Amino acid sequence: MTFTSLTDGLTRGIGDLMSPLTNLVSEPVIRLGVTGLSRAGKTVFITGLVANLLDRGRMPQLTAEAQRRIEAAWLQPQPDMTLARFDFEGHLAAMTGDDPRWPDSTRAVSELRLSFRLRPAGFFGLGPTTLHLDIVDYPGEWLLDLGLMDKTYDEWSEATLARIAARPQARDFMATARAEDGALRLDETRARALAESFTAYLTAARAAGWSDCTPGRFLLPGDLAGSPVLTFAPLPKPASTPRQSLWREMERRFDAYKAEVVRPFFRRHFARIDRQVVLVDALGAIHAGPQAVEDLRRTMTDVLTAFRPGTNGWLTSLLGGKRVERILFAATKADHLHHLQHPRLTAIMEALVREAKSRADFAGAETAAMSLAGLRVTVEETIERGGETLPAVKGRLASTGKAAVMYPGTLPDDPARLLSPAREGAERWLDADYQVMSFLPSRITRRPGEGPPHIRLDRAAEFLIGDRL
């Protein structure tokens, strides 16, 4: 080896080591994690947010835009070459084309990089700077999997069976699980049948609006479909659990799921997130009844537990002291309500976050709650009913494609009127009936420099990244 090649190698090595540090100083990066609980509209939120950050004519509450500090914004190749790219262009075309429709939901982790060129702030600014926003899109069920890490198979089975026992969607699985004797020797056919029955329950529960549908990979298995790591289910613990018994093998596979599926996901993605959005279909839960609202509250507690400093020892060591700085809980589909009801929806979300923070003993990241719509698909109207003028919305029904006016009912001004019966296990609302319809996007006309119509995406962006712009 020549002296020149040796020094060239050393130079390249030092350059490789210094490159991340140089990028950190000159071109900072914010990693924004976006996840959604059941049917929350995650793809629509990301598409609407990015479109309105590129064309900011509808973003008056974004301070950097109001101060004209954003010189330009553009998409560019993402840094992680092994992740799927979030199909922003395809989703935007679906939402705003001549035949508008909702885009297909994403079924795995994806990423998109949006870069900003910013005017310097202050008298001593040295010139424009660049800020990269890396948006990481992942299923909400995968975030909830973090709650499995501190549980044994015994604890998880007992809690899961107790929680789902009364749900209609779990009837078949509960019958199958109760008929099994976990002390008997493992029979792979029986194990597969249990896992398939449990997966069928999870699929039905998610479709019915339940949020606590974990383990998440049972719903989105990908390359793991059919593997032993996804072939387990909760079982009642028998009096004895001998080696090679069904119960012991289920326990082994549950532990493998945590070690081989959950931990690597958080090491690769979660540990690098700076800001987080959790999207919630609060209106859908309210429509479904008190038990669905309580499920939502419990799920939000689990989410905050995932972000709680100091209690998850393995996660603390994995993060190396790094913390998620801000978490936004957002009630989506605010366009399904007249704007006069938006403060009440936001108050319900704030109350849910307060309860979740209290129950999770949470302290650390800054949290906020708001109501928003990634794409506004309704217009506001009023209707007369019983001599009373009611605030309503009009949109194109998903069921028929025809325009219809909806009055969903009046949300209570005191969130306790919803949260108290939910906490007490009520089966239905005693003094109210809340309606929810599904609307399709309508054709829109955008002026140059405007993104698609939305509700409060500018405020969401201000909370999540405004301080860095």
Side-chain angles (χ1 to χ4, degrees):
M1 178 182 292
T2 66
F3 178 76
T4 301
S5 63
L6 178 60
T7 55
D8 285 348
L10 287 172
T11 302
R12 284 194 300 271
I14 294 173
D16 291 342
L17 289 172
M18 293 299 294
S19 179
L21 181 59
T22 303
N23 289 338
L24 181 65
V25 174
S26 62
E27 296 188 351
V29 176
I30 303 175
R31 287 183 64 83
L32 172 64
V34 180
T35 195
L37 305 182
S38 180
R39 299 183 296 183
K42 179 164 50 76
T43 301
V44 174
F45 171 83
I46 296 174
T47 304
L49 178 65
V50 172
N52 280 282
L53 287 173
L54 290 170
D55 294 301
R56 296 172 298 284
R58 299 181 191 265
M59 301 288 274
Q61 298 298 317
L62 185 61
T63 301
E65 176 62 19
Q67 295 176 348
R68 300 192 179 279
R69 291 199 60 233
I70 304 176
E71 293 186 347
W74 67 98
L75 296 174
Q76 63 174 323
Q78 66 202 53
D80 193 331
M81 305 291 283
T82 64
L83 283 182
R85 182 181 183 273
F86 181 84
D87 185 14
F88 166 72
E89 296 82 2
H91 297 324
L92 183 63
M95 291 161 50
T96 62
D98 291 337
D99 182 22
R101 65 190 187 280
W102 294 122
D104 295 332
S105 60
T106 52
R107 299 183 59 81
V109 179
S110 63
E111 187 177 58
L112 189 71
R113 168 164 282 195
L114 175 64
S115 297
F116 301 91
R117 186 167 65 246
L118 305 171
R119 297 184 192 278
F123 182 77
F124 295 102
L126 300 178
T129 59
T130 299
L131 173 71
H132 302 295
L133 177 63
D134 290 344
I135 300 175
V136 182
D137 167 25
Y138 63 95
E141 292 84 1
W142 294 10
L143 174 60
L144 298 181
D145 275 352
L146 181 58
L148 305 178
M149 293 302 298
D150 291 328
K151 292 184 173 68
T152 64
Y153 174 70
D154 188 7
E155 293 168 340
W156 172 74
S157 289
E158 182 178 1
T160 300
L161 293 173
R163 189 175 68 247
I164 71 175
R167 297 180 185 178
Q169 300 82 11
R171 187 178 297 114
D172 291 345
F173 169 71
M174 290 299 298
T176 302
R178 286 168 174 161
E180 280 294 344
D181 183 354
L184 296 178
R185 189 176 181 85
L186 168 68
D187 180 291
E188 197 62 45
T189 301
R190 287 165 46 224
R192 257 195 326 271
L194 279 165
E196 289 169 359
S197 181
F198 186 55
T199 302
Y201 154 70
L202 290 174
T203 303
R206 183 175 62 174
W210 295 102
S211 301
D212 54 352
C213 301
T214 57
R217 289 297 181 97
F218 277 57
L219 295 167
L220 298 170
D223 293 341
L224 296 175
S227 66
V229 81
L230 295 187
T231 311
F232 65 90
L235 285 177
K237 188 174 184 179
S240 64
T241 57
R243 293 181 60 185
Q244 299 184 350
S245 65
L246 174 63
W247 200 90
R248 288 282 289 271
E249 181 61 17
M250 291 287 181
E251 180 182 43
R252 190 176 73 88
R253 294 179 184 187
F254 175 80
D255 290 341
Y257 181 84
K258 294 193 297 181
E260 304 299 331
V261 178
V262 180
R263 187 185 292 269
F265 167 72
F266 284 98
R267 181 183 296 115
R268 182 177 179 188
H269 303 294
F270 186 82
R272 300 161 57 202
I273 287 173
D274 303 299
R275 314 284 167 95
Q276 177 69 50
V277 182
V278 181
L279 303 174
V280 177
D281 182 13
L283 285 177
I286 293 169
H287 172 66
Q291 293 181 8
V293 172
E294 175 60 13
D295 165 65
L296 177 58
R297 195 277 312 156
R298 184 175 55 246
T299 301
M300 290 171 61
T301 301
D302 291 342
V303 169
L304 282 174
T305 300
F307 290 102
R308 183 174 57 185
T311 56
N312 297 301
W314 72 274
L315 182 59
T316 301
S317 62
L318 183 150
L319 296 179
K322 177 177 167 56
R323 299 294 180 205
V324 174
E325 300 161 338
R326 297 186 179 189
I327 309 170
L328 173 65
F329 287 92
T332 57
K333 306 178 185 178
D335 56 333
H336 287 41
L337 295 175
H338 193 281
H339 78 273
L340 294 176
Q341 295 215 61
H342 290 181
R344 296 186 176 192
L345 178 60
T346 300
I348 291 168
M349 280 301 299
E350 289 172 342
L352 283 167
V353 171
R354 278 196 303 272
E355 283 212 6
K357 288 174 69 173
S358 174
R359 296 198 180 203
D361 190 24
F362 180 82
E366 183 179 351
T367 61
M370 65 178 63
S371 52
L372 52 77
L375 177 69
R376 183 171 192 158
V377 299
T378 63
V379 295
E380 295 186 344
E381 302 231 347
T382 57
I383 61 174
E384 299 293 328
R385 182 178 295 175
E388 185 178 2
T389 300
L390 300 174
V393 294
K394 180 180 179 180
R396 195 163 65 102
L397 285 180
S399 57
T400 64
K402 297 180 180 179
V405 176
M406 177 185 75
Y407 170 66
T410 302
L411 294 176
D413 54 3
D414 181 2
R417 290 179 57 191
L418 291 179
L419 301 188
S420 293
R423 193 185 306 112
E424 293 165 1
E427 294 187 1
R428 59 185 179 86
W429 308 118
L430 295 178
D431 56 353
D433 184 24
Y434 304 107
Q435 303 292 326
V436 175
M437 291 182 180
S438 295
F439 293 110
L440 292 172
S442 300
R443 293 184 65 176
I444 58 175
T445 301
R446 288 189 288 163
R447 291 177 293 187
E450 285 186 343
H454 65 85
I455 296 177
R456 296 186 193 90
L457 285 182
D458 50 349
R459 296 186 188 181
E462 177 66 20
F463 172 76
L464 291 165
I465 62 173
D467 62 316
R468 299 292 296 275
L469 291 174

